[in-house]
Structures are given as C-alpha cells and as structure tokens.
C-alpha cells in the first residue's frame, strides 16, 4: 500500500546576501559548496549552491539590499537557521578557526553523542556545524 505524501523532504534553504558574488566565493571556499547556477529572478540574483552529499538540499543565496541577517531567537539568544552536518567536527572547527572565520566554541552534548558550534558567514548570517553519533553516513555525489 502506498501513501500519497504531500511532501518528501525539505527542499531548499534561502540565505540573504547584499553581495552575492562575495558570498558565492565565501561558501565555495570555506564550506565546500559548489556553484550550480546563478540567475536573475524578480529583480535580483539567486545563486544555487550544492554540497557533495548525495541527498543534500540546495542552499540558495538571495541577493537583497536589506541589511537584516538571518537568525531566529531562542529564549532571547541568537539561534541558527541552518545546520550543516560534519563527519569530523573537530577538524571543521579547527579549519575554520585557523582561517580566521567568525566561529563560536565547540559544544559537546550529553556523553559526547552530539557536538556543535555556531559560526557566521560573510554576511553575518548565523549557521551551525553539527555532528551526532546518530547521523547516517552520507553517500557522495559522483564527480563533485
């Protein structure tokens, strides 16, 4: 028996940028994203970025003149809008620190079964690097 699902997965994440070319460079250099396409839509540019994971969703950088950045508040504290899984979070944290990125401290949850840190992109958007022993091993896209 099959079910007619209305949705099958989260599709995209939209991240604002007031300098889309600088943001494309930042995401491809520091986060290993690959630029798939850049096009104009409704008066500004969008950039489609993919990650090497076989089933990773696309990140779309959205060019805007607005200066507000993307984050939500959790109990009065900034909270990220996007978490990116890291197979080796200690390596990722060290790399980002060594490259002068705006990186928070590495947090360990429970008995070490989950780890995370927050960081900001070139536009000040709050993102999260995350690892958990429960994360499945991701297959990689061919030719990425």
């Amino acid at each position: 028996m099959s079910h007619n699902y209305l949705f099958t997965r989260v599709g995209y994440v939209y991240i604002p940028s007031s300098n889309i070319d600088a943001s494309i460079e930042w995401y491809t250099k520091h986060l290993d994203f690959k630029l798939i396409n850049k096009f104009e839509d409704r008066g500004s540019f969008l950039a489609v970025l993919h990650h090497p994971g076989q089933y990773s969703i696309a990140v779309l950088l959205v060019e805007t003149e607005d200066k507000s950045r993307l984050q939500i508040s959790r109990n009065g504290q900034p909270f990220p809008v996007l978490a990116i899984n890291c197979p080796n979070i200690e390596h990722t944290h060290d790399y980002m620190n060594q490259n002068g990125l705006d990186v928070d401290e590495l947090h360990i949850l429970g008995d070490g079964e989950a780890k995370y840190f927050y960081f900001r992109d070139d536009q000040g958007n709050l993102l999260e690097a995350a690892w958990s022993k429960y994360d499945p091993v991701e297959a990689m896209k061919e030719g990425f």
Side-chain angles (χ1 to χ4, degrees), residues 2-3 5 14 23 39 64 84 88-89 100 122 127 138 144:
S2 67
H3 180 82
Y5 292 100
Y14 299 100
S23 292
F39 56 93
T64 180
I84 305 172
N88 184 341
I89 197 163
D122 66 308
L127 309 174
E138 178 82 45
F144 194 84

Side-chain angles (χ1 to χ4, degrees), residues 14-18 22-24 26-27 30-31 59 61 69-70 81-82 96 101-103 118-128:
Y14 299 100
I15 299 178
S17 173
S18 59
S23 292
I24 291 168
W26 191 91
Y27 276 81
H30 297 296
L31 302 185
V59 167
L61 298 175
R69 295 300 157 234
L70 197 56
V81 295
L82 168 66
M96 294 178 90
L101 302 178
D102 186 1
V103 179
Y118 297 159
F119 63 98
R120 293 198 181 268
D121 69 6
D122 66 308
Q123 298 288 302
N125 297 304
L126 187 62
L127 309 174
E128 178 182 64

Side-chain angles (χ1 to χ4, degrees), residues 40-54:
E40 190 171 350
D41 175 57
R42 292 172 256 180
S44 67
F45 282 96
L46 276 82
V48 179
L49 303 174
H50 279 198
H51 228 224
Q54 182 69 31

Side-chain angles (χ1 to χ4, degrees), residues 3 13 17 19 33 47 53 65 72 99 102 106 108 134 141:
H3 180 82
V13 173
S17 173
N19 185 338
F33 278 93
E65 295 176 3
I72 58 176
N99 284 279
D102 186 1
L106 182 62
I108 300 172
Y134 307 106
K141 296 173 186 168

